[in-house]
Amino acid sequence: AFRADSSGLYAKLGGLEAFRRLSTSFYNRVFADTDTQFRAIFANIAKSEAIRNQSEYLSERFGGPPLYSNRKGPHMLIGRHGPYQVTEETATRWLYHMERAVAEQTDVDLDTRRILMDFFRHFAYYIAYGRELVNTERLVGYGGKHYGGA
């Protein structure tokens, strides 16, 4: 997962548009999913907003401009996902959709796909299990958009 820090994938993949394509493919799958427990995680966000959030976050994470941070503030991934029932099962389902979205990016070479999937595996389970490592009072304290805040 830490190879993402120095991977230069933002430039290699073609910038923000590449991450928009990936995020669009991913969220098209997510919003078509029929598993109610999984879909409940995304019930309070429009697909277009989810795509924007993810593509800007990933772009920034892989070396692009700080679009996400400038718009939303610090990443605080566990806190932002805290209000949702992110479990091992939902993390696995998330990865199922992300793996297919990555595979759909036919212009991405095998090594780059590995870097992306290593990062996404780490990310998904970090969200699922990271809640146990933080003060639970901080999980919903930022007033985020996903549950009616700013």
Side-chain angles (χ1 to χ4, degrees), residues 9-112:
L9 288 186
Y10 180 80
K12 182 178 181 178
L13 292 174
L16 179 60
E17 189 52 41
F19 289 102
R20 275 196 192 120
R21 284 191 306 272
L22 175 62
S23 297
T24 299
S25 175
F26 170 74
Y27 277 108
N28 283 341
R29 295 166 194 287
V30 165
F31 277 77
D33 196 301
T34 59
D35 182 292
T36 55
Q37 180 184 1
F38 178 72
R39 281 283 290 121
I41 296 170
F42 306 94
N44 295 324
I45 189 167
K47 181 166 59 169
S48 61
E49 184 68 11
I51 291 168
R52 180 180 182 194
N53 288 343
Q54 185 182 75
S55 61
E56 288 180 1
Y57 169 78
L58 293 175
S59 293
E60 184 173 331
R61 186 65 175 81
F62 286 100
L67 300 173
Y68 181 89
S69 293
N70 287 346
R71 185 170 58 85
K72 307 252 321 164
H75 296 162
M76 300 181 342
L77 296 174
I78 293 172
R80 291 188 189 276
H81 293 85
Y84 311 106
Q85 292 301 311
V86 180
T87 64
E88 182 177 347
E89 292 80 17
T90 57
T92 299
R93 189 109 179 141
W94 188 95
L95 281 168
Y96 170 83
H97 292 301
M98 184 54 80
E99 189 169 37
R100 277 142 190 82
V102 168
E104 190 175 89
Q105 310 309 304
T106 56
D107 56 336
V108 177
D109 64 78
L110 185 58
D111 188 52
T112 301

